[in-house]
Amino acid sequence: MSMIEIRNISKWYGQFQVLTDCSTQVDKGEVVVVCGPSGSGKSTLIKCVNGLEPFQKGDVIVDGFSVGAAKTDLPKLRARVGMVFQHFELFPHMSIIENLSIAQTKVLGRTHEEARDKALKLLDRVGLKAHASKFPGEMSGGQQQRVAIARALAMDPICMLFDEPTSALDPEMINEVLDVMVELAKEGMTMMVVTHEMGFARKVAHRVIFMDAGQIVEDAAKEDFFGKPRSERAQHFLSKIL
Ligand code: ADP
Ligand code: MG
């Protein structure tokens, strides 16, 4: 069964068509990596999945709910879809434990104690339990991004969306974040990951989507994509980044 189904999405910013008839699906437990040149529409596509960006044509179905339908409770659906961005976007004026607790209490109605327990468990899992009372500004980029992942997991998401989670990090911090993502993938989390980290893709992706100029040019099993991408544009892209 598909957890995420993207059906013929087209989107315009004014006159500019940013997405053209994009379709794909992500099954439960599947890890799909999205790559492609800068400006090809990767961020826009992934934001359409949880309705952060509206689209004019097509629909996205997440766990059976239509993102485009007016009757869908979008905030409720969004609360169940974890999203991790390039810039960690932690709340700077809150401690790490507060960052992980606030939406649990406010959105899910958990008690402060439940939220705290869950937060500490997740911080332990990403190796940061000792930092619970620090503030984001006191932590490295890699640590902040691990906190952002833990914060998303605290909501018990049905799937996770990542948009270039390591591209703002210093090289020595990339692996600590990728390791957390690899673990998550191995545990069976449904994931859609925009990244140029092809090592990560080779290790855990089931499929690779290649985008160019707002279109899904290639949507292939990992083995086929790395073996020999069909399109020239994907071959060219791979030859430049590998
Ligand atoms: P990618 O993530 O692959 O780099 P994006 O989805 O961010 O690509 O952007 C795709 C295209 O849409 C780019 O040409 C970008 O300039 C344009 N774009 C992105 N956001 C906006 C916006 N808010 N208004 C107008 N154009 C935008
Ligand atoms: Mg982007």
Side-chain angles (χ1 to χ4, degrees), residues 171-187:
E172 72 272 20
M173 293 172 188
I174 290 176
N175 278 330
E176 68 189 60
V177 172
L178 290 178
D179 287 348
V180 170
M181 293 167 62
V182 168
E183 280 309 303
L184 208 51
K186 286 185 177 161
E187 286 164 21

Side-chain angles (χ1 to χ4, degrees), residues 200-217:
F200 172 81
R202 281 180 192 277
K203 209 185 274 180
V204 296
H206 298 101
R207 283 190 3 256
V208 179
I209 288 174
F210 174 75
M211 291 186 72
D212 194 22
Q215 288 180 294
I216 294 179
V217 176

Side-chain angles (χ1 to χ4, degrees), residues 13 16 18-19 36-45 47 53 163-164 194 211:
Y13 285 118
F16 174 66
V18 57
L19 297 175
S38 176
S40 57
K42 306 179 297 294
S43 295
T44 306
L45 182 71
K47 282 185 197 150
E53 280 287 354
D163 190 0
E164 302 207 33
V194 178
M211 291 186 72

